[in-house]
Amino acid sequence: MALALLSGCAGNLRQSAHAAIAADGATTAIGIASGAAYEVNPLLRSPTAIALSLLLRVVAVEHINTLP
């Protein structure tokens, strides 16, 4: 059943990766802003570090996309 639900995710791996990064950033921001969540990763306790982490992941996806 999980494969059937996720079958559309593999259509364009680059888009799927960017969507996952965006979803992670959005849910992290909402969770922290609402007080429902706390970032347990000690390297990502500041908003700047979280934003930098998201940017680095986008850059990594773009770099990987250029590889043969």
Side-chain angles (χ1 to χ4, degrees), residues 21 44 49-63:
I21 293 167
L44 297 177
I50 293 171
L52 184 60
S53 167
L54 294 171
L55 178 63
L56 288 174
R57 286 189 268 171
V58 169
V59 169
V61 168
E62 290 302 314
H63 172 70

Side-chain angles (χ1 to χ4, degrees), residues 3-66:
L3 290 176
L5 292 173
L6 297 175
S7 63
C9 294
N12 185 334
L13 192 56
R14 180 175 168 245
Q15 284 180 337
S16 293
H18 284 304
I21 293 167
D24 180 47
T27 57
T28 299
I30 291 168
I32 291 172
S34 70
Y38 175 75
E39 183 60 57
V40 295
N41 184 342
L43 299 176
L44 297 177
R45 292 220 172 122
S46 75
T48 304
I50 293 171
L52 184 60
S53 167
L54 294 171
L55 178 63
L56 288 174
R57 286 189 268 171
V58 169
V59 169
V61 168
E62 290 302 314
H63 172 70
I64 291 167
N65 193 50
T66 64

